[in-house]
Amino acid sequence: MVNLHFAIAITRTCGSGGGSYIAKKLAELYGIDLYDRKLLRLAAEDSGINEEIFAKADENTRKTLLYQVSRRVYDGSMIPPESGNFISDENLFNYQAKVLRELLNQESYVCVGRAADFVLRDKPNVLKVYVDAPYDARVEREMRRQGINRSRAMHYIDRLDRYRETYYAYHTGKKWKRPENYDLCLDSAALGLDTCVEVIRTIVAQNFGVTV
């Protein structure tokens, strides 16, 4: 492997069945870290804010209308500790973004979610990947995975998709599912998860000269 830091930023729809598997497989193949919820710990260390506050914000924002009624597009700025908004959801996102950007100067990694495609949009050697699958395939997968009926699976998928869409719009000002946000869009149901991994490996080799 050449001495080059690169990142694979994966965005996925609920129930597509590919995001986590693909990310873990790629991290294992390249011998690099996978950042998802692990990012909360690093952001907590960087900011001095208790990790539990990050985790609670991560969960609670899914249950509020915050992202549906306002917008705070990430611009790289930070809210200072003396501000009353230091531990706001906006600043918690800012610290996660800061950590992702600084990590790329030190190491290669895979990241799932966190609007990483937007956060790293001006950084070199970043492959932005969107993983999706037909709605019916996603419903069937969640029915099997959770042992629930179709109605509950549809409710689960619709709720998480809606959260991810509004979260993405709030922090980026962009549409979540638009292909122009990404370098590569994959249908995990049509291709299969391992083929998705191989496609990404091929592009990483072509674009960054990194092979395993």
Side-chain angles (χ1 to χ4, degrees), residues 102-165:
E102 291 177 351
L103 278 172
L104 193 51
N105 297 325
Q106 307 164 24
E107 63 175 271
S108 299
Y109 61 82
V110 181
C111 182
V112 179
R114 313 292 165 181
D117 61 283
F118 181 83
V119 168
L120 301 173
R121 66 194 182 281
D122 60 339
K123 288 282 192 177
N125 306 323
V126 177
L127 180 64
K128 302 181 289 292
V129 181
Y130 178 70
V131 179
D132 199 358
Y135 186 76
D136 284 345
R138 295 196 283 143
V139 170
E140 292 291 337
R141 180 182 183 277
E142 288 306 316
M143 289 172 63
R144 293 192 302 271
R145 187 178 73 86
Q146 299 189 53
I148 56 179
N149 62 30
R150 177 172 292 275
S151 177
R152 289 184 61 190
M154 290 173 66
H155 175 74
Y156 176 80
I157 287 173
D158 292 344
R159 179 173 58 85
L160 277 188
D161 275 1
R162 185 163 55 249
Y163 162 72
R164 289 172 179 169
E165 181 177 20

Side-chain angles (χ1 to χ4, degrees), residues 195-212:
T195 298
C196 288
V197 171
E198 289 306 310
V199 169
I200 293 171
R201 285 180 61 192
T202 298
I203 294 177
V204 168
Q206 291 178 345
N207 290 6
F208 309 147
V210 180
T211 59
V212 289

Side-chain angles (χ1 to χ4, degrees), residues 24-69:
K24 290 176 183 177
K25 191 73 173 179
L26 289 167
E28 290 172 1
L29 288 169
Y30 289 108
I32 58 180
D33 273 321
L34 165 60
Y35 292 109
D36 188 358
R37 291 189 65 85
K38 181 179 178 181
L39 185 62
L40 301 182
R41 176 178 57 79
L42 297 179
E45 292 174 356
D46 187 72
S47 65
I49 300 172
N50 192 296
E51 184 178 349
E52 291 183 5
I53 295 177
F54 277 92
K56 183 175 290 188
D58 207 43
E59 280 298 317
N60 287 346
T61 49
R62 301 183 185 209
K63 305 172 184 177
T64 71
L65 294 176
L66 168 68
Y67 293 136
Q68 300 180 37
V69 299

Side-chain angles (χ1 to χ4, degrees), residues 179-190:
E180 60 265 30
N181 296 336
Y182 310 99
D183 304 310
L184 177 65
C185 298
L186 299 171
D187 182 338
S188 61

